[in-house]
Amino acid sequence: MWQGSDMATWVVLLRGINVGGANRLAMADLRKLMTDLGHTGVSTYIQSGNALITSSREDRSEMAAEICEGIAANFGPVVSAVLRTPEELLASLAANPFSRELNGTRVLITFFAVAPEPDDVAQLERDRFLPDRFEVIGAEMYGYYENGAGRSKMTLDYFEKRLHVRGTARNLNTVAKLIELSTT
């Protein structure tokens, strides 16, 4: 969402922050770091590495790299980050091939830093994780986890290794909340 003629809202999705007790980072520290990097309107949502920023900058890969470098230099954890606009999040939610699933915690959208190569996507083993299922559409992967993601063998590591891209996943409830926060 544009905040004037030269300011854009970005949703920052960090992978590897405050998960399972590892890589603890207080959200207040994350907000300060992002402010120190020159972003404004910085806010965070829950303790799992979701932030909203306003910036005049447009190069998402440079912003992501700076944020990750700042976290490593100031706090220690080596993480990855993916940036999306609110409109891109909304489009991702609308493209969900598992939209019939009513439980918003059973469907996760993995946001990749870049779209994987079609040849790499074609090599994925479609039946490997049944009853869990996935679909890769552009720079997102949609995963349906019948018994919950925590019990599944369908992991982000599997996809990152085979697709040669970094990503981070959020459930539909979190994506919907980030859209709400970034458009109000």
Side-chain angles (χ1 to χ4, degrees):
M1 177 170 92
W2 289 98
Q3 302 287 327
S5 62
D6 60 351
M7 299 295 280
T9 297
W10 294 93
V11 178
V12 180
L13 306 167
L14 297 170
R15 178 169 186 224
I17 293 292
N18 297 341
V19 178
N23 294 339
R24 291 303 228 179
L25 176 59
M27 294 297 97
D29 292 338
L30 180 60
R31 288 189 297 273
K32 182 178 181 333
L33 170 72
M34 290 185 181
T35 300
D36 290 347
L37 290 172
H39 305 296
T40 60
V42 178
S43 63
T44 54
Y45 173 66
I46 63 177
Q47 276 296 123
S48 59
N50 303 299
L52 297 109
I53 62 173
T54 303
S55 181
S56 60
R57 297 178 53 196
E58 296 179 17
D59 189 330
R60 72 179 78 211
S61 60
E62 280 185 21
M63 288 189 288
E66 284 179 355
I67 291 166
C68 293
E69 290 164 9
I71 290 170
N74 290 286
F75 309 110
V78 176
V79 301
S80 61
V82 175
L83 276 68
R84 292 290 191 269
T85 66
E87 294 82 7
E88 290 168 336
L89 285 183
L90 193 56
S92 296
L93 200 58
N96 173 20
F98 303 113
S99 61
R100 292 188 317 265
E101 306 302 334
L102 298 177
N103 186 335
T105 64
R106 298 274 190 237
V107 178
L108 274 66
I109 303 175
T110 299
F111 299 93
F112 293 124
V114 296
E117 293 295 324
D119 288 346
D120 291 333
V121 174
Q123 298 298 318
L124 295 174
E125 302 162 89
R126 290 243 166 245
D127 297 333
R128 180 178 180 154
F129 305 108
L130 292 174
D132 298 337
R133 303 182 312 274
F134 65 89
E135 291 292 332
V136 178
I137 302 172
E140 280 80 38
M141 185 192 73
Y142 300 82
Y144 171 68
Y145 297 83
E146 188 165 301
N147 297 307
R151 294 187 178 104
S152 179
K153 303 237 184 282
M154 187 167 74
T155 65
L156 183 53
D157 287 339
Y158 167 85
F159 293 100
E160 284 184 329
K161 286 177 186 172
R162 281 154 185 83
L163 297 175
H164 312 288
V165 294
R166 298 285 294 165
T168 187
R170 300 296 186 273
N171 70 42
L172 296 183
N173 294 342
T174 299
V175 173
K177 186 63 176 180
L178 291 169
I179 292 167
E180 176 189 330
L181 292 171
S182 63
T183 58
T184 55

